[in-house]
Amino acid sequence: MAEDDDANPDTLQIWDGRVYSRLGTGPRQIKAQFAPVEAYTVTLFMEESTCSPQLCDREAAINFLRDPERPRAIQYQLLRDISPTSIPPHCIEDMMLKTLGPVMGSDLGPALDFKSYILRQNLRTGSRVTVLFSTDGSITAVTTAPGASFNAVECHPELITQSPALCAGVFEVYLREKSVAPLARDAWIRSVMAPDRGQT
C-alpha cells in the first residue's frame, strides 16, 4: 500500500518539544492466517540535531542507532486491520512476545505492557502508532486514526512503561543481523552513513 506524504513526513515534532528527522521506512511481515503478510511499516525518527553523523562503516552505524542516549521515535503505520478476518489479535501478541522475549529475558512485564497498549487501540488500515523512546527509559505513545493528521500539540501521549531494557529490546529486534524488518534496518543504516559508504 502506498503511503501519502502526511503519513510519511521528513520531520516530526514530538510531544517532548523536539523536532525529529525521518531516517527511513520499511515493511514488517508477520504470519497471519497461515501465510506471511506485510502488517505495517516501521519508520525511525531521530532527534534532528543528532541524526546526520556521516559514519564510515556499518557496525558504527548500528551502534549509533542503538545508542539509548539519543532520543528516538518509531512510527508504525498499519497496512491491514487488526481483526479476526485480517490480522487476528493473537498474531500480534504472539509476534511481540516471540520477538521481544529472547532479548528481554525473564522480565517480560514491560513487553506485556507494550502489547496491551497496542491491542487496546482498535487499529485499522492506515492507523499510526507513534512511540517515543526517551533517554530515561520511558516509552510513551500516541495513536492516530486513519486519515487523521498527527498533531504534537493537541495529542495526549500515554505512558506505556518505564523500561530501559524494553527500549533496548525494541531496537535490537530491528537492528540485529536477523532483523524482523531488514528493509527498514538497511534504510536506517544508510541514512547515517557517508554517501559513498551507505551501500548494503
Side-chain angles (χ1 to χ4, degrees), residues 27 46-47 73-74 81 94-95 102 111 120 132 154 160 171 178 200:
M46 187 170 284
E47 201 272 320
I74 288 178
D81 296 350
D94 290 348
M95 175 268 295
R120 288 199 308 270
L132 175 62
E154 296 180 359
I160 297 176
F171 283 90
K178 293 185 177 180
T200 58

Side-chain angles (χ1 to χ4, degrees), residues 145-173:
S149 297
F150 177 83
N151 188 317
V153 176
E154 296 180 359
C155 70
H156 300 285
E158 179 177 339
L159 176 65
I160 297 176
T161 190
Q162 181 91 20
S163 173
L166 180 58
C167 290
V170 168
F171 283 90
E172 184 61 26
V173 300

Side-chain angles (χ1 to χ4, degrees), residues 1 26 46 50 66 74 84 94 117 133 139 149 156 165 192:
M1 172 178 291
M46 187 170 284
T50 67
R66 281 189 178 122
I74 288 178
D94 290 348
Y117 173 83
F133 299 87
I139 301 173
S149 297
H156 300 285
V192 297

Side-chain angles (χ1 to χ4, degrees), residues 49-177:
S49 65
T50 67
C51 69
S52 301
Q54 301 292 292
L55 298 169
C56 293
D57 67 78
R58 187 178 176 87
E59 183 177 356
I62 291 173
N63 289 335
F64 176 86
L65 295 168
R66 281 189 178 122
D67 186 356
E69 295 303 314
R70 302 182 189 282
R72 298 161 294 176
I74 288 178
Q75 189 172 82
Y76 304 93
Q77 181 173 359
L78 272 289
L79 301 179
R80 288 174 169 79
D81 296 350
I82 296 179
S83 69
T85 58
S86 184
I87 301 176
H90 72 80
C91 291
I92 297 295
E93 181 172 3
D94 290 348
M95 175 268 295
M96 293 185 73
L97 295 182
K98 285 179 180 178
T99 55
L100 288 172
V103 298
M104 293 291 293
S106 60
D107 184 14
L108 279 176
L112 293 172
D113 292 338
F114 198 3
K115 180 254 319 179
S116 296
Y117 173 83
I118 295 296
L119 295 182
R120 288 199 308 270
Q121 302 308 305
N122 189 30
L123 298 174
R124 295 289 181 259
T125 301
S127 296
R128 283 171 287 157
V129 181
T130 304
V131 184
L132 175 62
F133 299 87
S134 299
T135 56
D136 65 357
S138 62
I139 301 173
T140 50
V142 165
T143 296
T144 309
S149 297
F150 177 83
N151 188 317
V153 176
E154 296 180 359
C155 70
H156 300 285
E158 179 177 339
L159 176 65
I160 297 176
T161 190
Q162 181 91 20
S163 173
L166 180 58
C167 290
V170 168
F171 283 90
E172 184 61 26
V173 300
Y174 288 114
L175 292 171
R176 65 191 178 186
E177 182 177 353

Side-chain angles (χ1 to χ4, degrees), residues 22-36:
R22 175 179 173 269
L23 297 190
T25 301
R28 169 71 197 274
Q29 285 193 341
I30 68 171
K31 187 175 181 180
Q33 307 291 10
F34 309 106

